[in-house]
Amino acid sequence: MSAQTYKKFESAGSSDLPDKMTIYQDCMNTFNESPVSAKRCRLLISRLLRLLSSGETFPQTEATALFFSISKLFQHQNDSLRQVVYLAIKELSGISEDVLMATSSIMKDVQNGSDIVKPNAIRALTYVLDESTAFSAERLLKNAVVSKNQSVSSAALCTAYNLLPISEVTIKRFSNEAQEAIMEVKTAPMSARSEFVSKAPHITQYHALGLVYELKRNDKMALMKLIQQCSDGFVLKNQFARMELMKIVNDLIHRDTQLFAQFQQLFNVWLQDRSSLVSLETAKTITTFAIAHPRLVSPDLFATTVNVLRKLMNEFNCGAKLGAVKVVNKMAMVSPEKVAVCNPELESLLSMSNKELATFAITTLLKTSNEDNISNLIGRITEFVHKVSDDFKITVIEAIRTLSLKFPKEWKVIIKFLIDVLKNSEGAAKFKSSVVEAIIDIVAFVPQSKELALESLCDFIEDCEYNEVLVRVLHLLGKEGPSTSNPSLYVRHIFNRVVLENSIIRSAAVIALSKFALTKNDPTLKDSIVSLLNRISNDTDDEVRDRATISLKLLGSEHSFAKDLVQSKYYYDLNSLESKLTTYISTNEDSFKTPFDVSQIRKFSEDEMKAIELKHKQDRVFKSTDNDESGNRDAIAPATVSTNKRKDNDTYKGADLHEHEQDLLESKYADELSGMEEFKEFGKLINSSKVTPLTESEAEFVVRAVKHVFKDNIVLQFNITNTLVDVALDNVSVVCSAEDPENSRLEELFTLPIERLAPAGESACYVAFKKSTDTVMKGFLNTLHFTTRELNPDTHEPFEDDEGFQDEYEIDSLFLNAGDYIKSSFVGNFEATFDQLPNEEVAVYNIQEDLSLQEVIDKLVLNTSCLPLSNTQFAPTDSSSHVLKLFGKSALMGTKVALVIKMIKSSKGVALKAQCRTEDATLCADIVNNLM
């Protein structure tokens, strides 16, 4: 390394990283000098720490040599040097060997070191102790926990907390000392009060409370006693400790919802706490619980909570404002009418200089808005969007995207806003792409917006500079343009891209152009498209030429499948396609001479695909509320505990496994059943229901059922889990008896039992029926039959002389209902489609159970398997009436099904009036008479 380079990082202001080998050699030489220069050692250790913090690392041998060289500095009695030594030990302990050798020196400082060094020494113990040596520090740590110096006590509590997963037996003996630390007020000694001592008053209470919770988290009564002792306003003097106690309360009320009433007095007191952070945490606890259990939160308490949030939004502290807005935002996802009173405070935040706070206020206002004030609100947002960075713009656009699904009738205002932002607002490709995706969603789910949106996008692509955005718009034009009233309008704009753009855009434009040749609204357009494609086939780029040539070949073919390749009418199930392709490649035995059979892959129509996408979008919007509810219970750990969770994990990066769980299961069922010889003659699987639990999850035998519908058959699949230990089950089967055997239209064909079900094992039993009509509504009484065999603990096999004991186990009934024969489907204009359907049936229900309107809606959506439209799947909590609109298609015949269900809640229960219209009279009667 040259002298010039060396002097570069000698400069305090240099941003260049020091050379790793130079630092290593300097440390090895300087730390072994005699006498030691404390200033020079501190400088070298700071450079070493800077190197390690930037991601650099050392081989284990070199790291170990560095570790022991640094440990020699314990001989120097300079407190400032000791502090950086402990920092280096913590960093190097993870990549060094034999770190236990430094334990005695660290313990010596814990016992006899100064008040400045002692907390650093205590924290370093976490990195050098293991399960076998942790007990040796027990006495020292206990003494430190009860120390009068809060810095020492806090360090000991944090170390005990971090050692808990390493040596649980040892740390569990700290319970009494930790509780004593909660109740005792600690201060820094007069001689130690300096700028190096923590200024956070009584922070020991926070750390002690976190440790006690971890030690007693499984003991509900102990936690209740702890809350009772600490809830006195004079016990917890630290605001973070009071927040921690509220998180413990939050954990308990989610474990046992009946405890919520016992804490209402505590909630009322801490909502008015002098610390805004405590008030905010209390409000967050109440609102999170209210989302999951709205009946258990009294209106008075919730109103008080909302008033506190409004007060916090007027605080001078931006942190309190932002926290309050986030809580209101979560509540607005499920009950916007409850927090609509916060709108004046939210509107006042729009002019804040803090753009993050203003952005959150906008997204919350969009959730609490109604159809009457959307225009005014979007007008204010337009001015805001042009002034902020791309990150905040994208957040606002995503909120607008959600709003378009909530209020489809306001599409004109929303489209106008999006087009204005797209054309007039500066931004990178990611921002432009988010706006285009929002417009694509509106076009897909609000068909009447199609022509205005497409014309505006045609103007936009004339000046667009981003390839990915242009390709997305051209795909949309090719997909939706041919079905408009004047398709030739879009051909000119697409052909301009062929003339003016690069090869990537030209290739996308060729595919879009070819789709216009199949338009039905203007049959003469085909000749023009063919002429244009002939010109393009002489393009200089081979990809463009190939696409044009293939398109001409397909358009000139007489076969119908050629037209389907140009403009497909169906969408393949990608999960099933991936599974089949994987099997095809892995089991190939003839060098792929046997072609891949695509007929086995499930296909969806465009309406079915839109229904699936709409469900995913609706679930995605409200999923974060559930995540917040569960995540809040995991947030009780003190701030000293670090997690490996990435900060960007909360941003949406695409569909996750949970989001496509039902699609994956249906693909799995289809593959499993088609591979079983007994079911091959049944033909193609038409529909599979969601999983229905037939036992409690804590039962000895956990049974979950799935109903499979074929054209002429019904197959009941029972997934059985054996939770018994050392007991196997042989010949496991389910006996299904019809509730009304005399009028049954099902004939049982056979049962496929489970030969042996091992302990903790899960397997499936099948019962097959033949049905005499297309739709059969029937209930089944189910009994589990099996033979128990005790297992030899040594061999895990049944004893030879054990013949087993035949037994049976009653499980819940299973019902075939109308929803098992229906698939969700999307329609753009529900009212017009409903009026056009010929067959109508009306039924009235009086539900005397104590159910809310939302619970009734959830049951109706589940029982019918239809797609809720016009955002009617959510009932306002402040209303006693609601109208639910559902749409679907028959899984067997593809006939349309539309339902309008009016409901009124009174003191006597919930009254329903269901009006069903379909293209099949029999299905119409079956659905409307079997809703509940």
Side-chain angles (χ1 to χ4, degrees), residues 380-612:
R380 297 191 64 182
I381 293 173
T382 304
E383 183 181 351
F384 172 83
V385 166
H386 294 304
K387 298 179 180 178
V388 295
S389 63
D390 280 7
D391 290 339
F392 296 126
K393 288 178 183 176
I394 292 172
T395 303
V396 173
I397 295 302
E398 288 299 321
I400 293 287
R401 191 175 177 178
T402 303
L403 189 71
S404 67
L405 299 178
K406 184 178 179 182
F407 300 117
K409 293 182 181 179
E410 298 298 319
W411 62 268
K412 287 185 179 180
V413 177
I414 297 173
I415 283 285
K416 183 179 178 182
F417 165 77
L418 292 174
I419 294 298
D420 175 65
V421 170
L422 189 63
K423 291 181 178 179
N424 302 323
S425 184
E426 296 294 329
K430 187 176 180 181
F431 161 64
K432 298 289 186 180
S433 180
S434 67
V435 179
V436 170
E437 291 298 330
I439 295 174
I440 290 174
D441 271 2
I442 298 176
V443 171
F445 300 115
V446 189
Q448 55 267 38
S449 67
K450 182 189 300 182
E451 297 200 7
L452 176 61
L454 295 184
E455 290 175 14
S456 301
L457 287 175
C458 283
D459 294 336
F460 163 70
I461 61 176
E462 295 292 338
D463 301 315
C464 182
E465 58 182 316
Y466 302 111
N467 286 349
E468 56 269 38
V469 178
L470 271 169
V471 170
R472 197 75 178 94
V473 173
L474 288 171
H475 171 75
L476 178 66
L477 292 174
K479 179 182 177 182
E480 303 290 349
S483 60
T484 58
S485 59
N486 186 16
S488 60
L489 173 67
Y490 311 104
V491 173
R492 176 173 60 85
H493 293 278
I494 297 174
F495 187 68
N496 285 346
R497 308 279 66 75
V498 178
V499 177
L500 302 173
E501 299 290 351
N502 57 50
S503 59
I504 297 175
I505 307 305
R506 297 203 303 272
S507 299
V510 169
I511 299 300
L513 272 178
S514 63
K515 295 178 181 179
F516 279 84
L518 302 179
T519 180
K520 296 179 181 179
N521 294 339
D522 189 356
T524 62
L525 196 57
K526 180 177 179 180
D527 294 336
S528 302
I529 298 298
V530 171
S531 175
L532 293 175
L533 290 175
N534 278 319
R535 291 173 57 185
I536 299 171
S537 61
N538 296 319
D539 194 273
T540 56
D541 186 81
D542 55 351
E543 175 74 14
V544 179
R545 291 196 307 271
D546 290 347
R547 292 194 180 197
T549 304
I550 292 172
S551 298
L552 285 169
K553 186 71 174 176
L554 293 174
L555 292 174
S557 175
E558 298 296 331
H559 295 288
S560 59
F561 75 86
K563 305 294 190 297
D564 291 339
L565 290 175
V566 176
Q567 182 72 288
S568 178
K569 298 178 182 178
Y570 294 95
Y571 299 83
Y572 285 102
D573 179 3
L574 296 181
N575 301 314
S576 177
L577 179 61
E578 180 186 14
S579 174
K580 292 290 185 182
L581 281 173
T582 303
T583 305
Y584 175 71
I585 293 172
S586 61
T587 59
N588 168 59
E589 297 178 354
D590 57 0
S591 300
F592 301 108
K593 292 180 180 178
T594 304
F596 178 70
D597 186 9
V598 75
S599 63
Q600 298 181 8
I601 310 301
R602 289 195 310 160
K603 293 189 294 185
F604 301 109
S605 66
E606 185 174 357
D607 291 342
E608 290 172 347
M609 199 65 196
K610 283 184 178 180
I612 293 171

Side-chain angles (χ1 to χ4, degrees), residues 614 825-827 830 867-873 885-887:
L614 184 58
S825 184
F826 177 80
V827 64
F830 177 84
L867 178 71
L869 295 175
S870 303
N871 205 48
T872 57
Q873 70 271 31
K885 298 176 182 178
L886 300 171
F887 190 79

Side-chain angles (χ1 to χ4, degrees), residues 669 672-673 704-708 715-719 764-767 814:
Y669 297 146
E672 289 178 348
L673 294 174
R704 300 186 299 275
V706 182
K707 296 164 281 186
H708 303 295
V715 174
L716 304 182
Q717 174 180 336
F718 298 93
N719 298 319
C765 163
Y766 299 89
V767 183
L814 183 65

Side-chain angles (χ1 to χ4, degrees), residues 9 36-37 54 116 167 244 263 375 444 467 591 595 637 645 653 682 699 775 784 795 807 816 872 922 932:
F9 80 80
V36 172
S37 171
S54 66
I116 293 178
S167 181
E244 183 76 8
F263 295 121
S375 299
N467 286 349
S591 300
K645 182 182 177 182
K653 302 298 183 184
F682 288 1
T775 56
L784 188 65
T795 63
D807 201 355
L816 276 173
T872 57
T922 304
M932 299 295 289

Side-chain angles (χ1 to χ4, degrees), residues 25 137 347 372 390 406 430 508 532 775 778 849 857:
Q25 292 169 3
E347 290 177 2
D372 299 330
D390 280 7
K406 184 178 179 182
K430 187 176 180 181
L532 293 175
T775 56
K778 185 61 62 179
E849 298 178 52
I857 291 171

Side-chain angles (χ1 to χ4, degrees), residues 16-56:
D16 296 331
L17 284 175
D19 182 73
K20 184 166 70 173
M21 290 311 300
T22 302
I23 289 294
Y24 174 75
Q25 292 169 3
D26 286 352
C27 287
M28 295 297 294
N29 294 332
T30 305
F31 297 161
N32 290 300
E33 289 178 353
S34 182
V36 172
S37 171
K39 182 178 180 181
R40 175 67 177 163
C41 290
R42 288 201 307 270
L43 181 63
L44 284 172
I45 292 177
S46 66
R47 290 177 184 153
L48 175 65
L49 292 173
R50 182 184 172 198
L51 199 66
L52 293 172
S53 65
S54 66
E56 292 285 349

